[in-house]
Amino acid sequence: MTVVGCSPAWPNPGGAHSGYLVEGPGRLLLDCGPGVLPRLRQAEHWPVLDAIVITHFHLDHWGDLVPWVWGTMYGLGRESPQPELWVPPGGADHLSALGQRLGFPDMFEKSFALKQYADRTPFVAAGLTVTALQLPHYQLETYGLRVANQSHTLAYSGDAAPSETLVELARDVDLFLCEATLERGELDGEPRGHLAADEAVIIFEASGARRLLLTHRPAELPLGPGLERAFEGLELDV
Ligand SMILES: [Zn+2]
Ligand SMILES: [Zn+2]
């Protein structure tokens, strides 16, 4: 797994927004926020991916799909096979409405093999089994992802408030990639939408997951000793 981008809703200095590249039987990108596409392009002229999965439609998790479309229509992406694009339930209609404002209603479906996942219904993307679990995140429909091959599993929280479902998402995984956006939980809105680092640790400990990697955290917020923080370019074996 490579951290392509891990900024919160506003960018960390020199950083990119959410994007995590999982390479196994195929190449799978989890989220595609602003700054992810240019970083992928540093490694290859145009990214060749089997699939992209989007957790939710906050801009920091999907924004670079827009320039991805333009590169697919008019740039080097013309030469590349189109990746599958897995979106939450209703995501195809949402993208069509966004396309109407940003360019063309069918700009996303012309550039990606568009597919919708369903809550708790496993699907195969890039040769990996992905299961999406709906999580609380303010008022927006949001999912966390479990991604597994035959022997190893990672869980990615996306953006989420504390919940039992988050513990379930991370149950016994090899790597729990978990957001820790907040300085303190009580600073969150109502309903809640994010985690503080101490809340992420409590969920990690309840889950039985083996390794915790905190992400989506403002660079200006410190982390306690012994906690691992994601950074752009971090590569690790799950
Ligand atoms: Zn976010
Ligand atoms: Zn969000």
Side-chain angles (χ1 to χ4, degrees):
M1 197 272 292
T2 303
V3 176
V4 184
C6 59
S7 287
W10 58 95
N12 286 332
H17 292 281
S18 299
Y20 306 91
L21 180 62
V22 182
E23 293 176 282
R27 303 181 82 217
L28 172 65
L29 182 67
L30 308 179
D31 282 337
C32 188
V36 170
L37 180 55
R39 280 179 182 268
L40 290 172
R41 292 200 63 201
Q42 286 181 315
E44 45 191 333
H45 289 308
W46 194 260
V48 176
L49 297 179
D50 296 288
I52 303 168
V53 185
I54 302 297
T55 57
H56 67 297
F57 281 105
H58 277 153
L59 187 79
D60 56 316
H61 295 258
W62 74 274
D64 260 9
L65 295 180
V66 177
W68 202 303
V69 166
W70 306 135
T72 300
M73 285 184 163
Y74 309 115
L76 289 179
R78 278 180 304 193
E79 319 293 326
S80 297
Q82 295 188 354
E84 292 177 356
L85 175 60
W86 289 89
V87 293
D93 284 348
H94 186 66
L95 283 176
S96 169
L98 286 166
Q100 199 138 19
R101 288 164 172 256
L102 297 172
F104 315 99
D106 59 357
M107 59 189 266
F108 296 101
E109 68 187 71
K110 275 193 163 156
S111 304
F112 302 97
L114 195 53
K115 293 166 181 283
Q116 294 185 138
Y117 58 77
D119 192 24
R120 296 173 180 270
T121 307
F123 58 97
V124 176
L128 297 161
T129 302
V130 183
T131 310
L133 271 67
Q134 191 172 359
L135 297 168
H137 180 47
Y138 304 120
Q139 308 276 13
L140 188 66
E141 187 170 342
T142 301
Y143 293 82
L145 304 171
R146 282 177 72 96
V147 180
N149 65 10
Q150 287 80 3
S151 56
H152 290 78
T153 304
L154 74 79
Y156 167 46
S157 67
D159 288 352
S163 82
E164 277 304 312
T165 312
L166 205 43
V167 178
E168 186 186 344
L169 181 86
R171 177 75 65 209
D172 297 331
V173 297
D174 298 280
L175 174 70
F176 183 29
L177 179 60
C178 186
E179 72 123 291
T181 308
L182 302 173
E183 185 176 11
R184 297 196 309 279
E186 70 261 28
L187 301 175
D188 206 356
E190 184 56 47
R192 292 200 52 186
H194 286 296
L195 302 174
D198 59 340
E199 294 171 324
V201 168
I202 289 168
I203 288 160
F204 166 69
E205 287 174 349
S207 73
R210 283 207 262 289
R211 181 174 177 178
L212 174 66
L213 181 64
L214 297 174
T215 191
H216 203 274
R217 186 162 181 85
E220 54 272 27
L221 290 186
L223 265 187
L227 294 176
E228 199 178 359
R229 181 199 288 259
F231 57 88
E232 280 85 4
L234 172 65
E235 292 180 32
L236 48 84
D237 287 325
V238 176

